[in-house]
């Protein structure tokens, strides 16, 4: 959805608690695709004359002897400090090409199955990002919020991918520097503002290179997928059972492509398409946010407290009113009650609005925040939405979400743009995709142009021939992972079946559709895929 957490950009989420936990994890979804294990640069031509991406090649079925110490390790489980959960540290090779050249330590957590019935092994979960903490997601949502029958039969397990949260996190800017970075104007009006945006991206990239030099070349999705296979073996599972959301679908699909015969029951919810390049990925996502905003606009004007227009106001006029408000903030930021003196400007306000597009359950909160900002000159509500999106706490501390997000994205795909001139040429296309968000999301796609290490991945197909049946889930009006991506991934994977949610918001499982939840639960418990063409609302 974006090369950086959206608006600069990022990604999943019932109850307010469930919404918060899932939104934190999913907000970042974005742009991460790749393949160092596929034949590099080997595109062919289809009969229609278009390029056909090389398919991700499966790794040898046998484990290389150099990796045996990792596959044979025993985890030492300990109390997590969270009732019912255990934690451990797993070692993986920093560089799979040189397994003896150092290790990376990965944080693992689990909650053992406690119910009756035949145990089904482990169920690994990942909420997306890249950069979302899978361990945090497990402890705050999946391990307590997944259906009881799932938790009764599976050991619920999570591993923070390398570079993320508790797993040797990528480090870049400190809190005050991140405050400045998140306030960078992403709709530059003149050369001075363009130069400032480029300088901010360069500073971010240089800081990541200086503070995380050892790790920065080794946080690709292929490497994270290989780490998951070590975890599968260490847990004693013959096959990997997995639920991945948003970017987690790309991670899961990559695992399936590398280890097709080790795939167990796999759900890929809010699917990404590994065949698109970074520019197309960002453009598709821009259109996705516009689709979500149109739905929000239609809903907003039905309410008497909508500050963007009254009953009968068209979505286009609602969008124009929001753009006018953003322009006003660009010129004159408003107070936001922040202890560190931050005001609400255009960039943070846009982030707050985009954050609310991920879940229609947030629309009421967004209306209230916009009303306060537009009618009362009070930016507290929108700033709070933006801070939640960026995982900034009240003390001004950020998680490493944005840093890991950029590190993985910029390694997984060549940059969307090589410099400001490329962005300027693409602006009309992005503005057409979304008059409201297009310019900002286009400029947000520039950050990988200055990344200190070269991308190792490229667009590719994932077929996973020989894999057990897989379920791919797509939401029709998903803002962050457009529905067409789910259709594409389901068409690539040799054993996949597409399950469609005709609704709003990002991802579908656990978001209120009994039809979706029943279909996925049945698959996880019995291995039965949904009927072909199944569509839920």
């Amino acid at each position: 959805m974006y090369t950086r957490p959206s608006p600069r950009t990022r990604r999943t989420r019932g109850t307010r608690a469930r919404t918060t936990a899932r939104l934190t994890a999913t907000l970042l979804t974005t742009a991460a695709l790749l393949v160092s294990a596929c034949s590099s640069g080997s595109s062919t031509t289809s009969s229609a004359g278009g390029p056909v991406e090389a398919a991700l090649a499966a790794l040898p079925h046998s484990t290389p002897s150099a990796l045996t110490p990792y596959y044979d390790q025993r985890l030492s489980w300990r109390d997590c400090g969270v009732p019912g959960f255990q934690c451990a540290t797993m070692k993986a090779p920093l560089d799979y090409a040189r397994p003896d050249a150092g290790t990376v330590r990965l944080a693992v957590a689990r909650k053992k199955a406690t119910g009756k019935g035949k145990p089904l092994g482990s169920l690994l979960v990942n909420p997306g990002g890249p950069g979302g903490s899978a361990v945090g997601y497990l402890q705050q949502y999946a391990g307590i919020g997944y259906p009881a029958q799932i938790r009764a039969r599976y050991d619920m397990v999570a591993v923070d991918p390398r570079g993320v949260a508790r797993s040797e996190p990528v480090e870049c800017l400190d809190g005050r520097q991140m405050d400045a970075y998140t306030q960078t104007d992403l709709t530059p009006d003149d050369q001075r503002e363009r130069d400032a945006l480029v300088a901010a991206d360069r500073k971010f990239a240089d800081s990541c290179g200086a503070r995380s030099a050892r790790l920065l070349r080794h946080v690709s999705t292929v490497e994270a997928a290989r780490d998951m296979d070590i975890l599968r073996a260490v847990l004693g599972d013959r096959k990997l059972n997995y639920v991945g959301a948003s970017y987690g679908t790309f991670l899961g699909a990559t695992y399936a492509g590398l280890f097709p015969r080790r795939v167990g029951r796999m759900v890929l919810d809010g699917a990404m398409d590994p065949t698109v390049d970074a520019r197309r990925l960002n453009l598709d996502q821009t259109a996705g946010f516009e689709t979500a905003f149109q739905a929000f606009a239609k809903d907003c004007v039905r309410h008497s407290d909508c500050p963007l227009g009254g009953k009968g106001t068209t979505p286009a006029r609602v969008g124009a009113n929001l753009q006018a408000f953003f322009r006003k903030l660009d010129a004159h930021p408003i107070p936001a009650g922040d202890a560190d003196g931050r005001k609400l400007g255009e960039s943070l306000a846009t982030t707050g609005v985009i954050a609310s597009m991920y879940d229609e359950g947030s629309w009421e909160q967004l209306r209230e925040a916009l009303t306060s900002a537009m009618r009362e000159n009070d930016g507290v509500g929108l700033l709070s939405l933006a801070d939640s999106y960026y995982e900034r706490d009240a003390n001004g501390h950020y998680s490493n979400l944005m840093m890991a997000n950029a590190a993985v994205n910029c390694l997984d795909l060549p940059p969307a743009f090589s410099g400001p001139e490329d962005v300027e040429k693409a602006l009309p296309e992005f503005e057409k995709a979304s008059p409201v968000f297009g310019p900002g999301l286009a400029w947000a796609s520039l950050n990988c142009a200055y990344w200190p290490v070269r991308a190792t991945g490229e667009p590719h197909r994932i077929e996973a021939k020989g894999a057990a049946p897989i379920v791919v889930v797509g939401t029709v009006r998903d803002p962050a992972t457009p529905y067409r991506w789910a259709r594409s991934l389901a068409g690539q994977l040799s054993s996949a079946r597409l399950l469609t949610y005709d609704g709003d918001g990002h991802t579908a499982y656990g978001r209120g559709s009994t039809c979706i939840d029943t279909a996925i639960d049945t698959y996880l418990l019995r291995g039965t895929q949904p009927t072909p063409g199944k569509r839920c609302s």
Side-chain angles (χ1 to χ4, degrees):
M1 55 250 11
Y2 11 79
T3 330
R4 60 176 102 191
S6 168
R8 275 191 202 280
T9 34
R10 58 159 195 121
R11 149 192 174 348
T12 314
R13 308 43 84 179
T15 65
R16 179 66 183 165
R18 171 185 294 185
T19 295
T20 299
R22 296 184 69 208
L23 207 131
T24 293
T26 300
L27 266 178
L28 24 145
T29 302
T30 129
L33 304 89
L34 60 98
V35 167
S36 55
C38 75
S39 355
S40 76
S42 57
S43 291
T44 57
T45 302
S46 71
S47 57
V52 176
E53 297 79 6
L56 178 61
L59 293 171
H61 190 65
S62 59
T63 301
S65 59
L67 295 178
T68 299
Y70 296 102
Y71 275 81
D72 287 349
Q73 68 185 293
R74 298 176 66 89
L75 297 184
S76 178
W77 294 99
R78 61 187 183 278
D79 181 74
C80 279
V82 180
F85 292 88
Q86 297 175 307
C87 290
T89 300
M90 185 185 84
K91 292 182 179 180
L94 176 67
D95 183 352
Y96 276 91
R98 299 185 302 148
D100 58 350
T103 63
V104 59
R105 299 168 64 84
L106 306 177
V108 182
R110 74 177 179 186
K111 187 177 185 184
K112 297 282 288 182
T114 56
K116 298 178 180 179
K118 181 181 178 181
L120 294 174
S122 305
L123 180 63
L124 189 65
V125 296
N126 183 282
S133 172
V135 171
Y137 176 73
L138 176 73
Q139 294 175 343
Q140 297 167 31
Y141 173 64
I144 55 178
Y146 266 37
Q149 64 268 35
I150 301 296
R151 293 181 283 116
R153 304 281 299 281
Y154 284 101
D155 290 346
M156 301 294 293
V157 180
V159 55
D160 280 348
R162 50 177 63 206
V164 174
R166 300 163 177 85
S167 293
E168 297 195 22
V170 169
E171 296 180 348
C172 303
L173 304 177
D174 63 26
R176 288 197 175 276
Q177 291 171 325
M178 283 295 296
D179 280 347
Y181 183 66
T182 59
Q183 294 177 80
T184 304
D185 188 348
L186 286 173
T187 56
D189 301 311
D190 52 35
Q191 189 62 48
R192 180 184 61 82
E193 291 184 349
R194 284 192 289 274
D195 290 346
L197 190 156
V198 169
D201 279 338
R202 286 188 183 276
K203 181 177 180 179
F204 184 93
D206 290 346
S207 177
C208 294
R211 298 186 64 185
S212 300
R214 172 181 178 270
L215 193 60
L216 220 54
R217 288 178 173 82
H218 297 290
V219 291
S220 72
T221 300
V222 162
E223 289 163 310
R226 297 191 69 172
D227 295 341
M228 293 199 310
D229 196 56
I230 293 176
L231 179 59
R232 172 203 59 78
V234 169
L235 292 171
D237 292 324
R238 189 173 63 87
K239 294 194 173 185
L240 181 81
N241 301 308
Y242 178 83
V243 177
S246 196
Y247 162 78
T249 67
F250 179 59
L251 180 58
T254 299
Y255 179 90
L258 296 174
F259 305 102
R261 299 193 181 280
R262 296 177 189 170
V263 171
R265 296 172 187 177
M266 178 173 284
V267 177
L268 306 177
D269 183 13
M272 298 187 69
D273 181 358
T275 68
V276 299
D277 61 23
R279 184 178 180 279
R280 172 53 59 179
L281 187 150
N282 283 277
L283 187 61
D284 284 354
Q285 193 174 57
T286 298
F289 278 108
E290 181 65 21
T291 297
F293 179 76
Q294 294 278 321
F296 164 75
K298 291 175 183 177
D299 178 79
C300 186
V301 299
R302 297 189 185 108
H303 299 268
S304 59
D305 63 343
C306 179
L308 295 170
K311 188 175 181 179
T313 305
T314 65
R317 172 46 54 187
V318 171
N321 292 340
L322 182 60
Q323 287 177 278
F325 173 58
F326 285 160
R327 287 193 295 270
K328 180 180 177 181
L329 291 178
D330 190 25
H332 303 288
I334 63 176
D338 181 59
D340 294 316
R342 292 177 302 155
K343 290 187 175 183
L344 182 75
E346 180 185 16
S347 186
L348 287 173
T350 303
T351 303
V353 173
I354 282 183
S356 303
M357 294 300 101
Y358 283 89
D359 191 328
E360 67 272 25
S362 300
W363 290 356
E364 180 180 1
Q365 184 182 1
L366 176 59
R367 290 199 312 273
E368 294 172 354
L370 284 169
T371 298
S372 295
M374 297 176 71
R375 297 177 179 172
E376 301 166 19
N377 214 45
D378 179 358
V380 171
L382 281 174
L383 181 63
S384 177
L385 286 168
D387 283 350
S388 295
Y389 184 79
Y390 287 134
E391 294 191 0
R392 181 193 191 272
D393 65 24
N395 296 318
H397 176 265
Y398 290 76
S399 76
N400 90 312
L401 168 66
M402 285 184 66
M403 304 164 203
N405 181 273
V408 176
N409 286 336
C410 296
L411 198 60
D412 276 357
L413 281 181
F417 301 112
S418 62
E421 298 78 12
D422 284 351
V423 178
E424 289 170 350
K425 291 177 183 176
L427 281 175
E429 193 173 12
F430 276 77
E431 289 172 343
K432 181 179 180 181
S434 175
V436 178
F437 304 120
L441 292 181
W443 283 105
S445 307
L446 181 61
N447 66 326
C448 286
Y450 309 108
W451 205 243
V453 298
R454 184 182 295 273
T456 58
E458 59 184 15
H460 59 285
R461 291 176 56 80
I462 301 179
E463 298 171 357
K465 294 179 180 178
I470 295 171
V471 174
V472 174
V473 189
T475 297
V476 172
R477 292 178 294 281
D478 191 315
T481 51
Y483 179 63
R484 61 183 293 272
W485 289 358
R487 291 203 312 265
S488 177
L489 181 61
Q492 294 168 51
L493 293 167
S494 62
S495 63
R497 186 163 292 170
L498 178 63
L499 173 63
T500 297
Y501 175 49
D502 189 354
D504 298 291
H506 184 41
T507 73
Y509 187 42
R511 297 190 66 251
S513 170
T514 301
C515 173
I516 289 288
D517 293 352
T518 299
I520 293 175
D521 292 345
T522 298
Y523 167 73
L524 289 174
L525 292 170
R526 302 176 189 170
T528 306
Q529 285 179 304
T531 56
K534 187 172 182 63
R535 196 175 184 94
C536 298
S537 59

